[in-house]
Every structure is written in C-alpha cells, then in structure tokens.
Amino acid sequence: WADPAPAFLRNFYSLVLRDLEGWLLVSDCQGRLAGFVAGFSDPSGLLQRIAVRRLRFFSSVVACLVGHPIQLPGLLRDARKATCLRGQTAACDDAVCELVTIAVEPQFRRQGHGRALVRSLFEAAKSHQMRQLRVCVDVHDRGMGCFYQRLGFMPFRAFTTSEGRWMDEYVLAIQAD
C-alpha cells in the first residue's frame, strides 16, 4: 500500500490490540507519543484473522482504492490469499514473533526510542516462549537493515513479494534463560 487510508490503519491496529497473538507497544517522551511497535506471535495466522474481520476492512479498502486505484491488483491478490487461508488451521510458525510495524515521530528519532521499542517487543516475545523475532525490510531501505543488524538481527533471506517487491528478512534468536 503506497498510502493506506486512515480507516484501514485504525482497523488494522484495532485488530492488533484485540488479537491474543498481537502486541502493540508504545514509547513516550514527557507524556507525548514518541513511537510504537506492532508484532504478532502467530504471523502465519495474520491473514486468516484479517479474513475473519473482512467486513470491517472492506470500507477502509474501498477508501484506499478511491485514493489509489493502482492498488487494486495487489488488493485482489491479497484477498485471494486470505480467502484460501480462511479454511486452514492457523499454526504458529515455529514459535516466531514477527515485527510488522515500527514508527518513531521525526522529532524523537535518534534518541533511542526505536531501539527501546524493539527491545520491549523482544522481551514480550521471550516471555511468551518465542524462539525468534523476525522482521522484513524493503531491500532498498539500507538504513533500517543496518538498524536491525546493530540490534543483533542477522540477515536470514532475501525474497520477492507477490507484487515483485524485493525484501530482506532479518532474524534475532531468542534464547531461554
């Protein structure tokens, strides 16, 4: 999504907040939201959970298409994937937590908020006996790749999405105490 509609994002983060497999952690600075991180301990089931709530997402998808009609082929492809997954049983992908979003307000960047958010997600995943924390980054976003590597993530694989977008996947092993 080049520029998702705010309604879609509200629905998505509402799903994260209500989902038993989702985490949404925030960082504040003197009472102001500095940033947030979102993750799922069952990333393979994320599309299934979205498919179950597909009517809630429908209006926001329509709003997104009105502003960005070029997104239609990708949305149809994702809808087909979600429909195919709906009948399958969600399985935890080998105790993996996936970091799906991290954002830090521009005025709070380079102050340790992003690092603290990733570490907090790591600790949450560890407390739930996850074995890995994974994140995917656009191959052209070298800054984020370096950021994750400084935090101990190791390059795992490079792949292309169904839309032809090149991505790098990074993994951070979680060891039990």
Side-chain angles (χ1 to χ4, degrees):
W1 299 55
D3 183 16
F8 177 85
L9 292 174
R10 273 193 304 278
N11 283 324
F12 179 76
Y13 292 116
S14 176
L15 167 68
V16 174
L17 283 169
R18 285 183 277 166
D19 196 298
L20 294 175
E21 306 296 334
W23 290 305
L24 186 63
L25 307 169
V26 299
S27 176
D28 76 15
C29 186
Q30 300 174 351
R32 294 184 54 210
L33 179 66
F36 72 95
V37 65
F40 282 91
S41 62
D42 180 13
S44 65
L46 176 60
L47 282 177
Q48 290 175 333
R49 292 187 292 278
I50 289 174
V52 167
R53 294 165 179 88
R54 67 188 171 278
L55 292 177
R56 286 190 185 136
F57 284 91
F58 179 74
S59 63
S60 53
V61 167
V62 169
C64 185
L65 285 175
V66 168
H68 305 282
I70 196 164
Q71 299 292 338
L72 182 60
L75 289 170
L76 291 174
R77 198 170 28 251
D78 291 344
R80 279 193 300 273
K81 277 192 242 176
T83 302
C84 291
L85 288 171
R86 192 175 54 224
Q88 300 174 6
T89 314
C92 184
D93 185 18
D94 198 28
V96 169
C97 176
E98 181 144 356
L99 188 161
V100 292
T101 306
I102 186 168
V104 176
E105 287 287 341
Q107 67 268 28
F108 296 115
R109 291 183 184 156
R110 300 187 131 343
Q111 297 175 25
H113 294 282
R115 184 180 330 108
L117 286 164
V118 173
R119 285 189 179 147
S120 294
L121 184 62
F122 174 87
E123 291 301 324
K126 184 176 181 178
S127 72
H128 285 81
Q129 289 78 44
M130 299 287 107
R131 287 190 260 166
Q132 291 182 342
L133 179 57
R134 290 187 183 178
V135 64
C136 293
V137 178
D138 187 287
V139 73
H140 301 292
D141 194 345
R142 298 282 181 222
M144 286 308 292
C146 289
F147 169 75
Y148 289 116
Q149 287 184 25
R150 282 192 307 271
L151 293 175
F153 284 78
M154 301 300 293
F156 180 67
R157 68 180 177 129
F159 64 97
T160 56
T161 66
S162 57
E163 294 81 27
R165 185 174 168 198
W166 280 96
M167 304 294 287
D168 286 329
E169 185 173 22
Y170 296 89
V171 175
L172 180 60
I174 301 173
Q175 299 176 2
D177 291 331

